[in-house]
Structures are given as structure tokens and as C-alpha cells.
Amino acid sequence: MSKRVEFDVDGITLVGDLRVPAGAGPHPALVLTGPFTGTRDQVTGLYAARLAEAGYVTLAFDHRNWGESGGTPRGHEDPQGKLHDLRAAVSLLRSRPEVDGGRIGAVGICLGAGYALKFAAFDPRVRAFAGIAGAYNNPYGMRAGMAGGYRDALSSFTDVLERQDRGGQVEYLPAVAEEGEAAMPGDEPFAYYGTERSASPHWRNEVTRASIRELVTVDNMTGADFLSPTPGLIVHGVVDRFCSPEGAEEAYRRMGEPKRLVWLDTRLHIDLYDAEPHVTHAIEATAAFLAEHL
């Protein structure tokens, strides 16, 4: 069972679900952060429930601007704000009597893995990190992947922001679409977010255009350089068209010891969102690593 909790950061109220395992506490605890546009009752909620069964207090929450949490513009990616949200989430966990405040880890899935990595690297309260199917964004990789189009893309996003700075409305595009323009175009993202697999009353199929600028300029990979001596785990699928295995390898290579890299035999990025046996394999790898280090 989960308990709804609310906590404030930067004048914004965030909403989360706190899960407490059976048995006498205090227990080690985990803060979770998940995919781009995701809400706490989707991927993060699934992993939070499974890890609570493994003996951890877990907190899955909606980041600012998403789901039931406050913040504007709605549906806007705020990288620095997400790090603030994670900091406040750990402060909440450490205030709870069910939690052993000296045994807290950060777990991220998809885009959340990059945020969890950077957060864990610079917050000594976090004693272990695990990234699953992670996107470890950095502008060097984005520029290389976009070749000569990187500056043009930045200019297009600046045009959007300038219109908004001058009083124009916040500009949006679909989060997913099988065909046509979307922040996450194509059949695979749509197979999760566009179907009952991800059904949530709090998720909306829209994202600010300016969010894409944040994704191509944020540097979460730098967290790998600063994580050690905090233990780090990378769990990734051998085939992933959306969060590259090469990015996972780079994050692992740049991390210091102690660290572990676990490859899973997936064929789709979203296999690690909700598909079995892949989620179970990811949970088992994560629980085994955390048992050693928390």
C-alpha cells in the first residue's frame, strides 16, 4: 500500500507516494525519478512498488510541472528544478520515522537515471545510485548526434522562448505520436504512452517546445565523473534505440569504483518500463546491488 505525501520546495508543492515495507523499521530508503513526461503512477510507481517489496521505503513523486505536483509552465522540463525536487524528496525521507536516514539511495529510470546520477554525485546523503535504461544526456553527445544541426536547433528554441518572453503563449507539441511531430515520435514511445499500458489520470500528451532545448543542453553525464566513492549501478538493455547502450557504457566508464554494469537481453527501450521478465531482472539486479551498499 502507498501513502500520499506532499512536500514543498522552492514554493512549489510536490505530490508523491510513500511505500513502506512490512516488518519493523527503520528501513533503508530510495527516492525514484523516471522517464521524460512520466508521472509517478507509471514507470516510477511500478519500480517503487517492486523495490518496496524488496525491503525498501520508496518515494515516487511527480516532479514540478508534471502530474499532480505544482509548478508552471505545465509540462515543462526543468533540469535544475528536478535536482531541487530530489533534494527535497531526500529531506522528506530523512524526516520519516520509518527510514534509516543514513541508508538512502537514488534510483532513476530512463531520463531519470541521468538526474539521479547527477544528484547522487553531489549530495553525500545519497549512499548508492542505480540507473535503469538510462539517458545520460550531455551536450557534447547531442551536438555530435545532430551534426551541423545543433546550432540551428538552438536558434529555433530561442525563437520560441523569445516569443514567450514578449508575452506570447507557452508553445506545446505532443509528447508522443505514431506519425508527425512529437517530442518522442514513432511507434515505440506511442506503444507505451499512447495506449492503456501507461493509463494515468495525471499524464497529458503534451510538452513545452522549450523542453527539448533543456534535453539537448543539460549535462547529467558529468555526474559520472563525481559519483565515486558513492557506489553506482548501471542496468541497461543490449538494444535500445532511445537511450543508447553507448551512453550507458560511457557513464559506466567515467564512474569510479565501486561500480557495476548489468546488461539485459531487451529489444525495446520500453521493455524496461513494464515488460516481463525484463522488469524483474532489473529489480533483481538493483536489489542485489543495493543490498551490498546500503
Side-chain angles (χ1 to χ4, degrees), residues 28 56 102-105 126-129 229-233 257-260 285-294:
Y56 298 91
R103 301 169 66 199
I104 292 179
V126 179
R127 302 301 177 88
F129 154 77
T230 299
L233 169 69
E257 296 289 348
K259 61 181 179 179
R260 183 176 301 160
T286 302
F289 184 81
L290 293 174
E292 294 179 29
H293 297 288
L294 272 188

Side-chain angles (χ1 to χ4, degrees), residues 23-285:
H27 305 275
L30 304 171
V31 61
L32 292 96
T33 178
F36 178 48
T37 81
T39 55
R40 72 186 194 280
D41 51 349
Q42 296 173 328
V43 178
T44 50
L46 173 61
Y47 277 85
R50 296 289 298 275
L51 287 165
E53 292 172 359
Y56 298 91
V57 174
T58 63
L59 177 60
F61 67 95
D62 291 330
H63 278 285
R64 64 183 65 194
N65 308 336
W66 304 96
E68 284 193 279
S69 290
T72 56
R74 302 304 299 167
H76 180 66
E77 189 71 12
D78 181 350
Q80 195 61 41
K82 281 192 166 182
L83 297 177
H84 289 198
D85 297 346
L86 287 165
R87 183 198 70 222
V90 169
S91 297
L92 172 67
L93 285 172
R94 284 167 56 88
S95 75
R96 301 288 304 194
E98 308 96 327
V99 171
D100 180 344
R103 301 169 66 199
I104 292 179
V107 177
I109 307 98
C110 187
L111 187 63
Y115 288 118
L117 173 60
K118 190 170 185 179
F119 173 64
F122 296 107
D123 193 324
R125 299 176 302 170
V126 179
R127 302 301 177 88
F129 154 77
I132 301 165
Y136 304 100
N137 292 32
N138 74 89
Y140 298 102
M142 291 292 179
R143 184 176 63 181
M146 298 171 70
Y150 189 71
R151 295 294 295 181
D152 290 340
L154 292 181
S155 294
S156 70
F157 301 136
T158 301
D159 290 343
V160 170
L161 289 167
E162 183 170 325
R163 288 193 292 271
Q164 294 175 189
D165 289 340
R166 292 179 172 179
Q169 292 186 338
V170 176
E171 297 184 24
Y172 288 89
L173 74 163
V176 297
E178 285 188 284
E179 298 180 356
E181 185 183 29
M184 298 179 285
D187 57 348
E188 186 178 334
F190 190 86
Y192 181 76
Y193 287 107
T195 70
E196 287 299 310
R197 287 173 65 176
S198 69
S200 165
H202 311 303
W203 186 82
R204 298 289 181 269
N205 189 17
E206 63 178 18
V207 59
T208 67
R209 286 188 178 275
S211 290
I212 312 305
R213 178 187 182 277
E214 302 303 330
L215 296 182
V216 302
T217 59
V218 67
D219 187 356
N220 287 332
M221 182 71 82
T222 191
D225 300 327
F226 291 88
L227 183 66
S228 182
T230 299
L233 169 69
I234 301 284
V235 178
H236 212 86
V238 294
V239 177
D240 191 326
R241 292 188 297 138
F242 288 87
C243 296
S244 74
E246 292 79 12
E249 287 182 322
E250 180 182 351
Y252 177 75
R253 176 179 55 79
R254 289 170 59 168
M255 287 161 49
E257 296 289 348
K259 61 181 179 179
R260 183 176 301 160
L261 175 61
V262 176
W263 292 109
L264 299 180
D265 189 24
T266 63
R267 291 296 176 266
L268 299 172
H269 174 68
I270 59 174
D271 282 345
L272 283 166
Y273 280 18
D274 63 349
E276 292 296 350
H278 309 297
V279 169
T280 290
H281 291 162
I283 292 291
E284 290 173 346

